[in-house]
Amino acid sequence: MPVTEFSHPDPYTYQVGFDSYHESEAVKGALPVAQNSPQKAPYGLYAEKLSGTAFTAPRHENKQTWVYRIIPAAAHGNFAAEDADSYHTRLTTETQRLHHIPNQLRWDPFDFDETVDWVHGLHLIAGSGDPTLKQGLGILLYAAGKDMGKEAFYSADGDFLIVAQHGVLDIQTELGRMIVRPNEIAVIPRGIRYRVTLPAGPVRGYICELYQGHYQLPELGPIGSNGLANARDFQAPVAFFEDEEEPTEYKLYSKFNNTLFAARQDHSPFDIVAWHGNYYPYKYDLGRFNTIGTVSHDHPDPSIFTVLTGPSDHVGTAIADFVIFPPRWLVAENTFRPPWYHRNTMSEFMGLICGGYDAKTGGGFQPGGASLHNVMSAHGPDSDAFEGASNAELKPNKVGENSMAFMFESSLMVGVSEWGLKTCHKVQEQYNQHSWEPLKRHFKNPNKAS
C-alpha cells in the first residue's frame, strides 16, 4: 500500500527512526557538549532529566531524555482533583466499577462532542489492571470539538497510543510538535506534557493506554530483518519552544490513577529549547506498513499484522498488541480466506478507521464504532461473510481497498466501563443475533440414509 495521501499539509519537521537516540536544539548551542548537567547550562537554561524507566533498567530497556528548558517542570501550584464526580465514571478502571461479561459486544459509531476539548473528551470504554501498580491497560475513546487553550495535559498512568479516526490533531508536546491525521497513529509516553488543537474541526478516535512498560516493535522471527512496521518510518518531533518573558497563567492537567487533577503555573509548559535521549513522542503513517501474508493456503494468524506491542513478563504474550488490517492481496488456494471462527485466550477490541472490514460485511461494523470479543468469547465472520467466502471464486483478489481496521489485543480479561456499556447508548443489543444466529446448518451426515 502506498504512503497515505493527506489533504492537510504537515508544517512540522521530524527525526526518523524508532527507539533511536535523538538530539534536537531549537537554538544552536543549547545542548551542552560532552556532559548532561553542567554547572551552568547554555543560555541560562535549566537541565532536567525525564526518565521513562528506572535508572538501573538494563541498557537495552533504559528510556531517558535530558531536556534544557527555561523554567523547570516542578514550578507549578498544587494539584487538586478536577470535576471528580464526572470523571470518576469516565476514566476509572477500579475493578468493582467495571463490568466483566462474556458477551460479544459491538458499538455503533461513537458521538462527536463539539462542546469539549481533548482533556474533557476522554472516555474509558474498557480496561484491566491498576495504574498504581503499573499493570494492565485502558481502552479509551476521544471525541472533541474545541482547542485546548493555555493548558497542557499528561498521563502519569501510562503511554497513550492514539489512533486518529476522524479529524486532524495538532499536538504540541514539550519536545516538539506533530500533526496526526486519520490513518496515522501517535504515541505519547507516560509523563510527557502536551496540548491538542484542532485545525480541521471536530475529532474522534481511539486510545490504548499501556500501564506497564512501553510500546516497542514486535520481534520478526522467521520473517527476517525487515517487514511489518520498519523503524525508519517512525517520526519524532524536533525541538520547539515558547518564550514568554512576562508571567502567563497556564493550567496543567494530570491523569493520575485515572482521576483528573489540575494545577496552575505562571509560565509556558512548552519551554524546552533543546533535548537529547530516547524517550520522546513519535508518530507513524499506517500506509507505510509492509503487509505479510500467505502465498499458498490457509489464513495466517493476525499476529503478522502487529505494528507495535506492549509485552508482558511472559515472552510472546502481550499486555497490548496494536494490530491493523490494511488493504492487502489474498491468494490462498482452497482456503476460507476471512478469519476463521475462534475462541481466544486474548481479548480483542476492534475499531474501524475507514471503509469496511472483510469479515464483517453485514453492515453493523462502521467507521468510528467498535467491537469487543473478550477472553474465550466465541466469534468470527458474520453469516453474510461466511456465505460469501465459502462460495467465492478463488482467484487473487485485493481486500480492504480504502479501508483500515485495527485491533487492540490483550492477554488480560478486560472489563467494560459504565460509560461504555450504558451511558454512551451505542451498544448494539442484537449483535449476536444478527451476526451468528442466522448461520445455517450445512452438515450432511454420511452415516444417515438419505
Side-chain angles (χ1 to χ4, degrees):
M1 178 182 175
V3 176
T4 309
E5 295 183 1
F6 299 106
S7 58
H8 301 283
D10 193 332
Y12 308 131
T13 55
Y14 301 92
Q15 306 176 95
V16 297
F18 185 86
D19 203 26
S20 303
Y21 198 94
H22 287 312
E23 62 179 41
S24 182
E25 54 184 12
V27 175
K28 186 175 177 58
L31 282 174
V33 176
Q35 66 178 116
N36 296 319
S37 55
Q39 183 180 21
K40 290 187 177 181
Y43 300 112
L45 297 170
Y46 288 89
E48 179 179 284
K49 186 176 183 180
L50 181 61
S51 296
T53 55
F55 297 146
T56 53
R59 184 181 289 267
H60 71 279
E61 296 177 359
N62 210 293
K63 298 282 189 181
Q64 60 171 317
T65 290
W66 280 93
V67 304
Y68 303 90
R69 64 191 316 151
I70 298 171
I71 299 291
H76 58 72
N78 287 337
F79 281 100
E82 175 90 355
D83 194 14
D85 291 339
S86 172
Y87 275 86
H88 203 58
T89 57
R90 290 187 184 183
L91 296 178
T92 183
T93 55
E94 296 175 17
T95 302
Q96 66 270 24
R97 295 183 178 272
L98 294 177
H99 301 269
H100 294 83
I101 51 180
N103 291 333
Q104 306 98 330
L105 296 174
R106 182 188 281 173
W107 289 267
D108 287 328
F110 295 101
D111 290 336
F112 291 98
D113 190 346
E114 299 188 29
T115 67
V116 297
D117 62 14
W118 171 267
V119 177
H120 299 90
L122 298 173
H123 296 268
L124 180 79
I125 302 173
S128 180
D130 186 341
T132 69
L133 300 177
K134 295 186 178 178
Q135 295 177 346
L137 79 164
I139 298 171
L140 299 94
L141 168 83
Y142 71 82
K146 290 184 176 180
D147 293 342
M148 293 176 64
K150 297 286 186 178
E151 299 167 320
F153 170 82
Y154 74 92
S155 175
D157 294 342
D159 290 9
F160 267 36
L161 190 161
I162 301 165
V163 182
Q165 187 273 320
H166 180 92
V168 180
L169 304 173
D170 189 335
I171 304 177
Q172 180 178 2
T173 79
E174 294 180 275
L175 303 181
R177 307 185 72 166
M178 302 186 298
I179 287 284
V180 182
R181 299 155 293 194
N183 226 44
E184 290 184 330
I185 62 169
V187 173
I188 312 291
R190 182 197 310 267
I192 290 181
R193 300 171 180 181
Y194 61 98
R195 170 172 59 198
V196 178
T197 55
L198 315 177
V203 295
R204 180 178 61 190
Y206 314 83
I207 297 167
C208 188
E209 185 174 18
L210 185 64
Y211 299 155
Q212 62 190 89
H214 301 288
Y215 287 104
Q216 62 188 52
L217 292 175
E219 299 294 342
L220 292 179
I223 292 174
S225 57
N226 297 286
L228 310 186
N230 290 309
R232 69 184 293 256
D233 293 321
F234 288 80
Q235 298 178 299
V238 301
F240 173 88
F241 71 100
E242 295 178 344
D243 182 13
E244 299 175 343
E245 296 186 6
E246 298 297 323
T248 303
E249 184 173 283
Y250 279 77
K251 193 171 186 178
L252 177 61
Y253 290 103
S254 173
K255 181 178 178 289
F256 202 89
N257 191 23
N258 281 315
T259 301
L260 192 66
F261 290 82
R264 302 283 180 175
Q265 62 183 59
D266 64 0
H267 61 279
S268 172
F270 308 105
D271 64 351
I272 293 175
V273 181
W275 60 270
H276 69 89
N278 65 352
Y279 192 64
Y280 45 75
Y282 54 89
K283 73 169 194 169
Y284 176 73
D285 176 359
L286 299 178
R288 295 175 181 263
F289 189 79
N290 183 10
T291 310
I292 304 296
T294 182
V295 291
S296 57
H297 60 267
D298 285 347
H299 183 98
D301 296 336
S303 49
I304 60 171
F305 302 123
T306 302
V307 180
L308 293 170
T309 184
S312 71
D313 295 334
H314 187 73
V315 175
T317 303
I319 298 301
D321 278 334
F322 174 60
V323 178
I324 63 171
F325 302 96
R328 59 204 183 279
W329 281 93
L330 301 182
V331 300
E333 296 180 310
N334 191 31
T335 295
F336 182 77
R337 289 178 175 176
W340 6 257
Y341 295 99
H342 63 293
R343 291 171 291 166
N344 194 352
T345 188
M346 310 279 279
S347 59
E348 304 176 20
F349 177 93
M350 286 195 65
L352 187 59
I353 297 172
C354 58
Y357 179 52
D358 57 299
K360 301 180 179 182
T361 59
F365 188 55
Q366 303 173 50
S371 67
L372 173 63
H373 303 137
N374 224 322
V375 173
M376 290 301 174
S377 293
H379 58 286
D382 58 31
S383 58
D384 290 342
F386 176 82
E387 295 297 336
S390 298
N391 297 291
E393 180 184 357
L394 291 184
K395 58 183 179 181
N397 71 296
K398 194 172 187 179
V399 297
E401 288 273 35
N402 301 312
S403 172
M404 183 68 74
F406 73 89
M407 178 168 63
F408 299 144
E409 187 176 53
S410 175
S411 61
L412 305 177
M413 181 182 292
V414 299
V416 183
S417 71
E418 186 74 10
W419 184 88
L421 190 63
K422 299 177 182 178
T423 310
C424 71
H425 302 295
K426 295 299 178 181
V427 173
Q428 296 179 10
E429 299 296 342
Q430 305 301 315
Y431 174 37
N432 184 302
Q433 290 90 327
H434 290 165
S435 294
W436 299 294
E437 287 190 4
L439 289 168
K440 301 175 182 177
R441 176 187 172 96
H442 296 286
F443 178 59
K444 295 178 177 61
N445 190 337
N447 297 323
K448 286 186 176 180
S450 57

